[in-house]
Amino acid sequence: MENIAWGELPFGYFKTDYNVRTYFRNGKWGEMEISSSETINIHMAATALHYGQEAFEGLKAFRGKDGKIRLFRWKENAKRMRRSAQGIMMAEVPDDVFFKSITTVIKMNERFVPPYGTGASLYLRPLLFGSGPQVGVKPAEEYMFLVFVAPVGPYFKEGFKPVDIQLVRDYDRAAPLGTGHIKVGGNYAASLRPADRAHKEGFASVLFLDAKEKKYIDEAGPANFFGIKGNTYVTPESNTILPSITNMSLRQIAKDIGLDVDLRRVSVDELNTFDEAGACGTAAIISPIRKIVDREKNKTYQFSKDGQVGPISQKLYDTLLGIQLGEIEDKYNWNTIVE
Ligand code: PLP
Ligand code: COI
């Protein structure tokens, strides 16, 4: 086994042995190439650099107790990447190219798949961008699809402990009819400044509101929001948030464990009424929320008084992770075994 402190890994870049690359040229996808270089060579007029023609994905592979490697819901990530490509006029990556790339990069880096029981997993980062030159504002004619991996631990340094979140009103991550629903780099660029300020002010992340009315909860910087009200899992429906695959899975798990699920607009005022709250995503998994502070209104919504994780968030977390690790029946075939 590798000499890596698996249990202490942060969520971050980690040099591994290989990455894979496929080019779209002359109207078609080429053969996948395996590379051991950490750098790429692209045209200085590449549209990704000038006009933000770039989208990425994030998914995880887990080593189970049985030693098998399970990849979680990759088809959903492939589908979302196609939607992102459509949204900013890039060449779409076909499922077979996506699947071959992610399975190859896992197998080539098998020594970096964290062992079972360490709490770490292998994060996959598929990346698609316009690599061909343009100076006018137009889509590129050439694209590069690349996947690298990194063994990672929890996204928030708190791990599975309640975090503090800052609700912001003086920044938007996405416009009402903009690109919030797809996973393009520009959304993240727009979130850097408020996120940095939130960190400096002692918060793990920001929570954005809908840009139009500033009345409804959209999502956290890198994750969706959910609240638990009595026996109901409540999560915002909005055209400007990223449809989270984790959230989609949690809605199913919530139903399976006997909760009601409410997917609808969630107003800020309603925060008062939640017994538990959390942020969810591939990187964040479930990050329970201790409190949300509305920065401008100087108002605090408290969810966890003693720093403990709420019972329903705990159950959702245990079930999701149990399925990902092959310990709980995977009744919807969310896992793909990598062989
Ligand atoms: N929202 C944003 C803005 C994200 O970047 C992510 C991460 O991918 C999510 C939500 C969670 O989505 P998923 O559960 O598919 O990882
Ligand atoms: C993910 O959860 O996969 C993300 O992409 C979140 C963040 C690291 C951008």
Side-chain angles (χ1 to χ4, degrees):
M1 200 41 77
E2 286 301 304
N3 189 18
I4 294 172
W6 301 108
E8 271 128 64
L9 284 172
F11 182 89
Y13 184 74
F14 193 106
K15 183 178 182 331
T16 62
D17 295 333
Y18 300 101
N19 56 81
V20 295
R21 301 147 184 226
T22 313
Y23 299 90
F24 181 89
R25 291 187 182 123
N26 302 318
K28 59 178 193 300
W29 287 98
E31 281 302 309
M32 183 192 74
E33 295 169 16
I34 295 169
S35 170
S36 56
S37 168
E38 288 176 277
T39 61
I40 51 178
N41 205 353
I42 54 169
H43 199 289
M44 63 185 174
T47 60
L49 301 177
H50 297 256
Y51 305 127
Q53 237 197 342
E54 182 274 338
F56 69 99
E57 272 302 326
L59 66 166
K60 279 178 174 170
F62 301 81
R63 173 89 64 183
K65 204 172 190 169
D66 55 7
K68 292 184 179 155
I69 300 173
R70 288 174 176 76
L71 187 54
F72 191 68
R73 303 196 79 170
W74 71 270
K75 275 197 177 159
E76 293 296 333
N77 292 91
K79 201 197 288 175
R80 192 168 65 190
M81 185 167 248
R82 283 201 304 274
R83 284 201 300 266
S84 297
Q86 280 164 17
I88 57 169
M89 298 198 71
M90 298 196 288
E92 293 174 35
V93 179
D95 270 10
D96 59 331
V97 174
F98 193 94
F99 185 65
K100 186 172 179 196
S101 300
I102 57 178
T103 48
T104 303
V105 78
I106 293 171
K107 285 189 266 189
M108 298 292 295
N109 291 295
E110 192 171 345
R111 70 191 187 96
F112 295 100
V113 181
Y116 171 79
T118 55
S121 55
L122 190 74
Y123 183 72
L124 280 73
R125 176 49 69 86
L127 176 70
L128 171 68
F129 60 90
S131 53
Q134 292 290 7
V135 177
V137 182
K138 289 196 272 279
E141 289 180 2
E142 292 187 4
Y143 292 85
M144 182 172 182
F145 174 58
L146 171 123
V147 188
F148 68 81
V149 297
V152 297
Y155 188 74
F156 295 118
K157 67 179 187 328
E158 292 83 350
F160 187 54
K161 296 220 187 69
V163 296
D164 296 343
I165 303 281
Q166 185 176 62
L167 188 155
V168 294
R169 293 171 181 276
D170 53 344
Y171 287 95
D172 296 315
R173 78 176 267 287
L177 297 172
T179 55
H181 62 295
I182 53 177
K183 204 161 168 62
V184 299
N187 298 338
Y188 298 83
S191 77
L192 290 175
R193 193 164 271 287
D196 179 65
R197 185 181 66 186
H199 291 150
K200 288 184 176 137
E201 294 179 1
F203 295 88
S205 185
V206 286
L207 185 62
F208 293 102
L209 299 184
D210 77 283
K212 197 169 177 184
E213 295 182 72
K214 294 280 179 200
K215 232 170 108 181
Y216 300 98
I217 294 172
D218 251 0
E219 65 176 327
N224 279 183
F225 171 85
F226 70 87
I228 306 291
K229 189 190 288 203
N231 199 43
T232 306
Y233 178 97
V234 185
T235 193
E237 174 152 61
S238 159
N239 294 331
T240 51
I241 67 181
L242 190 75
S244 155
I245 296 157
T246 311
N247 193 351
M248 198 200 316
S249 310
L250 290 175
R251 292 199 297 273
Q252 184 63 55
I253 292 171
K255 281 187 199 147
D256 292 351
I257 62 174
L259 301 176
D260 294 322
V261 172
D262 240 0
L263 178 65
R264 56 168 167 79
R265 294 173 103 184
V266 178
S267 77
V268 180
D269 300 334
E270 215 183 321
L271 284 176
N272 271 328
T273 65
F274 293 127
D275 308 314
E276 299 177 30
C280 64
T282 298
I285 316 178
I286 285 183
S287 290
I289 299 176
R290 183 170 64 169
K291 63 173 195 251
I292 296 176
V293 178
D294 187 329
R295 190 175 187 275
E296 264 161 59
K297 299 212 165 158
N298 200 15
K299 200 164 168 195
T300 300
Y301 302 90
Q302 189 86 32
F303 304 101
S304 165
K305 290 192 184 56
D306 45 9
Q308 301 284 63
V309 179
I312 293 181
S313 302
Q314 182 75 52
K315 177 85 181 149
L316 291 168
Y317 179 88
D318 291 342
T319 309
L320 176 65
L321 224 62
I323 295 169
Q324 291 172 330
L325 294 172
E327 295 168 336
I328 293 179
E329 190 198 349
D330 176 22
K331 44 181 178 178
Y332 304 106
N333 286 318
W334 286 342
N335 294 321
T336 300
I337 307 245
V338 181
E339 327 184 269

